[in-house]
């Protein structure tokens, strides 16, 4: 018991930090603090957030060892994305109307994961191993679901009729909800039941780089969810200094949402990069592509239902330049993962697209 408490002391620290910031910390950051106190408070908040993120990775690794892939990575993906959907839904239900919140969040996740995280992973993995392999059937399964959902949900609404308040037509809303639920449901059946071998790379069965004792599935699941909740609350607290910094720099407001999204997705990114460095690219792919697919498939039905019930304006269609970037990203992803092997050039190309996305944000 003592060893468990000692190993999970980060959770207690995280809970205390969340309580502090919800009680006085957020008001403290919003007040006129001295520069030294402000930086010190922000640094402490960032430190606790990052230690909680690494604890998430540790427990997801334990589940992956006990359950094996793809179930181990699926649990981490669904946990992160479900909490992200809850955050978006809570803002829509309680905050001021923001018609583009869900769209911008989904687009940020797609760009950050498929270009930023995938680019870094392929680059560092390629530099260490020159060429890395993965299961081609698995990546095809992901892309078969991701490409139509991304096009239907983020591009098609720009070319269809809308209601008087600017919302999509009822028929389009119903189509997107059914398409998202149906495609994701079939994909989960393929991934966990009928074709699990698509998501396992038989050529690279190296052990997980795990540190610490492995306990029951229930223990690691509870700890994983607990740390994820801590990360979510701390990320919302970090939004204050992030937004303050953005205001001082005169940067676009969308940058704050991207940074918070990166923090929330950090457990998957850390786990995937660690997997690539141990030549387990398939596990990294399961994490990255699973998060993109789950983001679209779970966010779209949730926000459309909320928009319909609450009669709130909602805009899913991207701007023209963003549609070009999305199309280029999906095309480049299809090319990069078309042969079963990758190298550092693929990673560099995806990073170029990510930098183009960042530059477009400031344009």
């Amino acid at each position: 018991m003592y060893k468990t408490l000692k190993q999970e002391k980060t959770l207690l620290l995280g809970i205390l930090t969340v309580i502090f910031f919800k009680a006085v910390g957020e008001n403290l950051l919003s007040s006129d603090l001295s520069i030294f106190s402000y930086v010190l408070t922000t640094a402490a908040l960032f430190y606790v957030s990052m230690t909680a993120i690494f604890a998430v990775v540790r427990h997801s690794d334990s589940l992956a060892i006990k359950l094996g892939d793809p179930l181990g990575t699926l649990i981490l993906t669904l946990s992160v994305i479900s909490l992200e959907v809850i955050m978006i839904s809570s803002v829509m239900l309680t905050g001021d109307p923001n018609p583009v919140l869900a769209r911008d969040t989904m687009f940020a996740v797609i760009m950050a994961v498929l270009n930023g995280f995938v680019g870094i992973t392929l680059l560092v993995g390629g530099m260490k191993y020159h060429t890395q392999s993965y299961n081609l059937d698995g990546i095809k399964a992901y892309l078969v679901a991701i490409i139509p959902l991304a096009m239907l949900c983020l591009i098609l609404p720009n070319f269809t009729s809308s209601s008087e308040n600017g919302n999509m037509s009822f028929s389009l809303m119903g189509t997107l909800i059914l398409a998202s639920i149906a495609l994701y449901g079939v994909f989960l059946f393929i991934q966990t039941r009928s074709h699990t071998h698509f998501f396992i790379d038989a050529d690279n069965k190296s052990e997980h780089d795990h540190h610490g004792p492995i306990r029951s599935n229930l223990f690691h699941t509870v700890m994983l969810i607990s740390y994820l909740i801590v990360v979510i609350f701390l990320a919302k607290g970090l939004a204050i200094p992030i937004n303050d910094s953005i205001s001082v720099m005169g940067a676009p407001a969308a940058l704050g949402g991207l940074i918070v999204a990166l923090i929330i997705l950090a457990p998957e990114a850390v786990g995937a990069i660690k997997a690539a460095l141990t030549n387990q690219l398939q596990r990294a792919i399961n994490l990255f592509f699973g998060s993109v697919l789950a983001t679209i498939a779970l966010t779209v039905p949730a926000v459309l239902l909320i928009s319909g019930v609450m009669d709130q304006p909602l805009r899913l269609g991207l701007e023209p330049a963003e549609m070009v970037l999305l199309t280029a990203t999906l095309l480049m992803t299809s090319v990069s993962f078309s042969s079963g092997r990758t190298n550092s050039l693929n990673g560099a190309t995806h990073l170029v697209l990510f930098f183009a996305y960042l530059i477009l944000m400031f344009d």
Side-chain angles (χ1 to χ4, degrees):
M1 184 66 179
Y2 173 74
K3 289 183 178 180
T4 301
L5 291 175
K6 183 178 180 180
Q7 188 174 20
E8 306 302 335
K9 61 182 181 297
T10 300
L11 180 58
L12 178 59
L13 177 62
I15 293 173
L16 293 176
T17 305
V18 168
I19 294 173
F20 171 76
F21 273 91
K22 290 303 173 184
V24 297
E26 292 182 359
N27 293 330
L28 189 65
L29 286 174
S30 302
S31 62
D32 295 327
L33 282 177
S34 65
I35 295 296
F36 177 77
S37 300
Y38 191 90
V39 171
L40 187 64
T41 304
T42 302
L45 182 58
F46 183 78
Y47 169 77
V48 177
S49 300
M50 293 309 298
T51 54
I53 285 170
F54 280 99
V56 168
V57 175
R58 172 164 52 84
H59 286 289
S60 67
D61 282 345
S62 298
L63 287 172
I65 292 172
K66 290 180 67 66
L67 299 176
D69 281 334
L71 286 177
T73 52
L74 179 62
I75 289 175
L76 175 59
T77 296
L78 290 180
S79 300
V80 171
I81 301 304
S82 296
L83 290 173
E84 178 186 322
V85 172
I86 291 172
M87 285 186 64
I88 296 174
S89 301
S90 64
V91 172
M92 289 185 65
L93 290 171
T94 60
D96 296 329
N98 186 351
V100 298
L101 171 67
R103 179 200 73 181
D104 289 347
T105 301
M106 286 189 289
F107 186 57
V109 169
I110 292 173
M111 291 295 106
V113 173
L114 292 187
N115 288 327
F117 293 157
V118 165
I120 294 172
T121 301
L122 296 185
L123 186 62
V124 299
M127 292 174 64
K128 183 173 182 179
Y129 296 102
H130 302 295
T131 301
Q132 291 185 292
S133 63
Y134 56 89
N135 193 321
L136 188 57
D137 289 325
I139 198 66
K140 286 182 178 179
Y142 281 116
L143 291 177
V144 160
I146 289 174
I147 291 176
L149 279 184
M151 303 291 278
L152 285 174
C153 298
L154 296 176
I155 294 181
L156 181 62
N158 284 332
F159 304 96
T160 57
S161 59
S162 58
S163 60
E164 295 180 356
N165 62 358
N167 281 342
M168 292 174 289
S169 64
F170 180 78
S171 59
L172 179 59
M173 293 175 64
T175 299
L176 295 184
I177 291 174
L178 289 176
S180 300
I181 295 174
L183 264 181
Y184 196 54
V186 173
F187 175 84
L188 288 180
F189 177 78
I190 293 292
Q191 186 182 32
T192 60
R193 295 291 182 184
S194 64
H195 293 74
T196 56
H197 57 284
F198 280 7
F199 306 92
I200 300 172
D201 186 3
D203 296 330
N204 293 293
K205 292 185 176 180
S206 53
E207 296 296 324
H208 290 271
D209 182 19
H210 181 76
H211 302 281
I214 298 179
R215 297 184 174 87
S216 67
N217 292 340
L218 178 61
F219 173 81
H220 290 297
T221 300
V222 171
M223 289 294 103
L224 173 65
I225 295 174
S226 300
Y227 280 112
L228 278 170
I229 294 174
V230 168
V231 171
I232 293 295
F233 279 111
L234 293 180
K236 294 177 70 175
L238 275 174
I240 296 174
I242 290 172
N243 289 333
D244 289 344
S245 301
I246 289 172
S247 299
V248 171
M249 294 186 299
L255 181 61
L258 173 63
I259 294 174
V260 173
L262 291 177
I263 294 173
I264 294 173
L265 291 170
E268 290 184 327
V270 172
I273 293 173
K274 284 176 59 181
L277 289 174
T278 56
N279 205 25
Q280 298 179 84
L281 185 60
Q282 184 63 49
R283 182 165 191 259
I285 288 175
N286 290 343
L287 285 169
F288 286 147
F289 286 80
S291 67
V292 171
L293 178 57
T295 293
I296 302 174
L298 298 180
T299 301
V300 169
V303 299
L304 285 177
L305 289 173
I306 292 173
S307 174
V309 173
M310 305 296 293
D311 195 27
Q312 290 190 2
L314 178 67
R315 183 177 177 184
L316 289 181
L318 296 170
E319 300 296 331
E322 295 172 336
M323 287 192 290
V324 173
L325 267 181
L326 175 62
T327 304
T329 297
L330 296 176
L331 178 61
M332 185 60 218
T333 302
S334 300
V335 173
S336 294
F337 295 94
S338 61
S339 65
R341 301 175 73 83
T342 66
N343 54 60
S344 54
L345 175 61
N346 299 118
T349 306
H350 282 278
L351 285 176
V352 167
L353 287 175
F354 182 66
F355 289 136
Y357 161 66
L358 293 178
I359 293 172
L360 178 65
M361 185 185 298
F362 287 87
D363 187 9

